[in-house]
Amino acid sequence: MVDYVLALELAGYAVGALGAVLVFFEFFQEPSYVEYEPEFNDYSIDISPMEITEHTWAGRIGAFLIAVSFALQFLAALLT
């Protein structure tokens, strides 16, 4: 039984690490409403509420994987 609990705990760590990497990747995404013009070395902001995307799928999946990781860790703690 201890081997299963240890495997479940390690799986939780692995899923959490993958989710954290995806969330970390999300922080470096440029928002869809910001455009860079290299000619003028300037950023322009064009905000249209219908076209704004605040988060990409990488961040959403990463947050979900972190939640799954916490659930696996909680289950492993209950089984010990």
Side-chain angles (χ1 to χ4, degrees):
M1 184 71 173
V2 175
D3 293 335
Y4 294 121
V5 173
L6 182 62
L8 188 63
E9 190 174 358
L10 291 176
Y13 290 145
V15 169
L18 179 62
V21 166
L22 289 174
V23 170
F24 180 76
F25 177 71
E26 174 73 24
F27 288 136
F28 292 101
Q29 297 292 319
E30 186 175 300
S32 63
Y33 52 86
V34 176
E35 294 179 9
Y36 177 68
E37 298 176 16
E39 294 177 5
F40 305 112
N41 194 21
D42 190 27
Y43 288 92
S44 64
I45 298 175
D46 183 23
I47 297 178
S48 172
M50 299 301 291
E51 297 176 2
I52 291 178
T53 55
E54 289 293 324
H55 304 287
T56 62
W57 281 104
R60 292 176 180 146
I61 292 171
F64 176 73
L65 288 178
I66 290 173
V68 168
S69 171
F70 278 115
L72 289 174
Q73 293 297 318
F74 181 72
L75 183 61
L78 285 178
L79 293 176
T80 56

